[in-house]
Amino acid sequence: MRDRWSPDAIQCNALPGTGVRPSGRPWHLRAGAFALLATVAALPAWATNGTSLAERDAHNKRLSEQLQLAPNGQSAAPTARYNHIITFGQSLASAAEGWPALSTEARYDNLMLGQAVRSATFSGASFEPVGQAAFSPLRAVVQRKSDARIILEPAQVAQLEEHAQEEGESVDIGALNMARRLYLQKRGSDADPQHLFLASNAATSGRSIAQLSKTGGTHEYRRVPQAMDQAKALADAENASYAVSAFFWMQGEFDYSHTNGGVNDKTRYKQLARQLRDDLYDDTRAITGQSRMPAFISYQTDAKSSVKDGSLAVGMAQWELAQEEPNWFLAGPVYPYVDKGVHLSANGYRWFGQMLGKVYHRVVVEGRKWQPLAPRQATVAGREILLDFHVPEPPLQFAEPYLGHVARPVKNKGFMVYDDKGEVPLTAVEIAADTIVRLRAGRELAGQPRITYASFQVGGAGQLRDSDATQADASYEYLPDQGMPAEANIPALVGKPYPLQNWSIAFELLASPVQAP
């Protein structure tokens, strides 16, 4: 008889690229199946007929290893002279409140179009380089909100109000610097002038995905192909090759909040996101003629403050798209990084940018698959629930995310459980094995339990991460003379490389019952 806890005896949400298909009991179970739970209610969750937690953990690790070794043959490798990485989305993409600028000194041989990665217009249908339309060394600047053509000096930045919306240190700068360091390390060289990375940021603050769409939107989609056109013209003038290597997509807050035409609906968001990606690919192909399309790398919108109805529809849509679509990758969530409330701080943007650069290197340069720390399945026996995870770098660990500028605990470490009677109190949230989390309910469960993590109900954050020891390219900086508040002086971070563990994405999923003995 199969073991009640065996991964072959339960619903297996295997991740793409593992070669493993779902098996066992379906999610939609007959009501009678749950009656069987009463017969095993007294059993501990690890009770087995032959498969231990250690064996279950080993099975998870094998699946993750298969996924991470699987080749990614979809993304355009950086083989052109100029390899363009374009950021698109709303305010976390454009770096609202991302001041002061941190990466003010150009590093490596990375480039940008104009004197800033962003346009000289904060909104509108055109991408206009700041200064001349020319390639210049990549560095961070702060642009005046009322006139984005003006770059603020440090003394002017220091005079900004606490939550001034001036845009500064954006994720693409940290991403390209991290990616370039890894790229050059892989090649064993200090420079590669024949294959350069180029950044542009075509994002517009305060937009829903419908508004950023090519058809029926605010026409700000046009900023992306315009940035491509201008960069290609400069490359053509040198008789140099040009390609688009990746898109960084960071958007979703206005869809969570039902603002500016946004709707917190998973099916709708997936439909619009697929169409937007397809339109970007079509325009890329028309402008560059390249056969392989850019990697499409997204973040997961957090549920911290903007969720209107409490659901994780947008975040789940982003996760599912990364599982279902080739060449689509979810780098991870943004809830752990230092922030100013709704937006990240300058250090927060650069910190997450380093994560984007790490993922870019894996999928584009190394040509391997990627999935973030995410659940595979949940199973229930009695009052206990086990969650199996894909863990990029085991073991799992609990840590405190930065909420504002303080590392804080989260209710139930970010986990919530609901059943037919409502919210289920939890008496324990534990790491049961390197890839397994155990939840213990404080009462008998009624019906099929639903588990959420990092939902609006717990402040859009959680405490689960892996043990990735990747060395960041940049370190946390505290600059009080440029307007950083005293609470940004964090001894655990100042002067140290940003830690780059992978934090679990936000999710909601149903738990399947184990088979009856």
Side-chain angles (χ1 to χ4, degrees):
M1 182 175 66
R2 291 181 298 179
D3 172 62
R4 298 192 304 277
W5 281 110
S6 167
D8 293 327
I10 53 183
Q11 176 69 18
C12 181
N13 252 0
L15 295 171
T18 64
V20 176
R21 293 186 176 275
S23 61
R25 298 174 68 84
W27 287 111
H28 302 290
L29 301 166
R30 296 189 304 273
F34 291 101
L36 296 174
L37 290 176
T39 65
V40 294
L43 295 178
W46 42 263
T48 81
N49 283 336
T51 301
S52 66
L53 276 177
E55 291 171 309
R56 180 168 173 160
D57 178 59
H59 179 77
N60 291 335
K61 290 174 178 174
R62 286 193 298 272
L63 292 182
S64 291
E65 183 180 16
Q66 291 171 25
L67 184 149
Q68 297 193 121
L69 292 176
N72 166 38
Q74 300 286 332
S75 303
T79 56
R81 173 69 184 279
Y82 295 105
N83 301 278
H84 209 167
I85 293 94
I86 301 176
T87 302
F88 193 39
Q90 59 178 116
S91 58
L92 269 75
S94 63
E97 297 188 66
W99 50 269
L102 302 176
S103 305
T104 55
E105 298 296 326
R107 302 194 62 192
Y108 309 109
D109 44 14
N110 288 326
L111 301 169
M112 59 186 177
L113 181 60
Q115 297 300 309
V117 291
R118 289 175 295 271
S119 172
T121 57
F122 274 116
S123 60
S126 63
F127 186 95
E128 301 175 13
V130 176
Q132 294 183 336
F135 296 144
S136 59
L138 178 65
R139 65 188 185 95
V141 300
V142 178
Q143 293 165 264
R144 187 183 297 280
K145 185 67 176 178
S146 59
D147 186 351
R149 295 171 298 178
I150 299 174
I151 295 175
L152 299 181
E153 296 296 328
Q156 295 173 299
V157 173
Q159 298 302 313
L160 293 174
E161 296 182 0
E162 181 180 5
H163 289 289
Q165 297 298 300
E166 268 70 10
E167 297 173 349
E169 180 85 28
S170 51
V171 296
D172 32 34
I173 300 169
L176 264 67
N177 284 341
M178 179 69 178
R180 193 63 176 176
R181 191 200 80 195
L182 295 173
Y183 171 83
L184 293 174
Q185 282 181 349
K186 182 177 176 63
R187 292 181 59 87
S189 61
D190 295 329
D192 181 10
Q194 298 307 312
H195 306 96
L196 300 171
F197 293 173
L198 168 69
S200 291
N201 191 315
T204 304
S205 179
R207 297 291 185 265
S208 65
I209 190 171
Q211 289 178 309
L212 293 176
S213 296
K214 184 174 183 178
T215 302
T218 55
H219 305 302
E220 279 149 334
Y221 172 94
R222 296 176 186 172
R223 294 155 72 91
V224 179
Q226 285 188 23
M228 292 187 213
D229 280 330
Q230 293 173 71
K232 186 174 188 304
L234 291 170
D236 288 347
E238 299 179 18
N239 198 28
S241 56
Y242 167 83
V244 180
S245 181
F247 292 111
F248 294 151
W249 171 247
M250 299 177 62
Q251 190 279 333
E253 291 81 9
F254 271 25
D255 292 86
Y256 260 148
S257 63
H258 293 203
T259 305
N260 286 3
V263 179
N264 188 20
D265 179 85
K266 184 173 70 173
T267 300
R268 179 179 184 269
Y269 191 91
K270 289 173 70 172
Q271 178 184 5
L272 289 173
R274 280 193 175 101
Q275 185 61 57
L276 183 141
R277 186 275 315 268
D278 291 346
D279 289 336
L280 288 171
Y281 279 6
D282 288 345
D283 284 330
T284 298
R285 190 178 288 108
I287 292 169
T288 70
Q290 64 192 72
S291 57
R292 286 191 177 183
M293 289 298 101
F296 196 88
I297 304 175
S298 172
Y299 78 161
Q300 188 186 46
T301 311
D302 72 42
K304 172 171 49 185
S305 60
S306 61
V307 178
K308 185 177 181 65
D309 58 13
S311 83
L312 286 169
V314 171
M316 289 295 290
Q318 292 162 336
W319 179 32
E320 291 179 12
L321 285 164
Q323 296 179 86
E324 297 165 0
E325 292 293 316
N327 207 28
W328 194 309
F329 306 97
L330 179 58
V334 291
Y335 64 75
Y337 309 109
V338 285
D339 64 68
K340 293 184 175 181
V342 173
H343 301 117
L344 298 179
S345 68
N347 275 292
Y349 284 119
R350 186 162 68 172
W351 192 346
F352 184 68
Q354 301 274 283
M355 292 291 296
L356 286 171
K358 181 180 78 170
V359 174
Y360 171 91
H361 180 75
R362 176 188 289 269
V363 302
V364 176
V365 177
E366 294 185 331
R368 292 190 289 150
K369 293 285 182 68
W370 165 260
Q371 288 283 352
L373 175 57
R376 284 200 163 99
Q377 64 186 359
T379 51
V380 57
R383 293 189 179 187
E384 296 189 4
I385 297 171
L386 289 188
L387 294 102
D388 294 90
F389 282 84
H390 160 63
V391 185
E393 296 291 338
L396 290 170
Q397 57 179 295
F398 289 130
E400 294 180 354
Y402 282 91
L403 307 177
H405 290 91
V406 179
R408 305 175 190 270
V410 181
K411 177 183 177 180
N412 296 332
K413 297 182 171 59
F415 292 90
M416 298 286 285
V417 176
Y418 303 89
D419 66 3
D420 290 351
K421 293 182 179 179
E423 181 182 337
V424 178
L426 297 178
T427 60
V429 178
E430 307 163 334
I431 293 176
D434 288 353
T435 64
I436 300 171
V437 170
R438 174 167 39 222
L439 309 180
R440 299 182 189 273
R443 62 167 170 79
E444 299 299 326
L445 296 166
Q448 188 171 20
R450 177 173 62 91
I451 303 99
T452 68
Y453 174 84
S455 66
F456 177 77
Q457 289 77 8
V458 292
Q463 293 186 226
L464 187 65
R465 70 183 189 189
D466 75 354
S467 299
D468 194 333
T470 300
Q471 181 77 21
D473 179 69
S475 297
Y476 185 101
E477 293 185 57
Y478 175 55
L479 303 176
D481 59 342
Q482 291 192 50
M484 281 193 181
E487 56 264 30
N489 185 12
I490 305 171
L493 296 177
V494 173
K496 301 172 184 176
Y498 300 110
L500 296 181
Q501 296 95 347
N502 303 291
W503 291 72
S504 175
I505 63 164
F507 62 84
E508 52 187 359
L509 76 164
L510 299 175
S512 293
V514 297
Q515 287 189 326

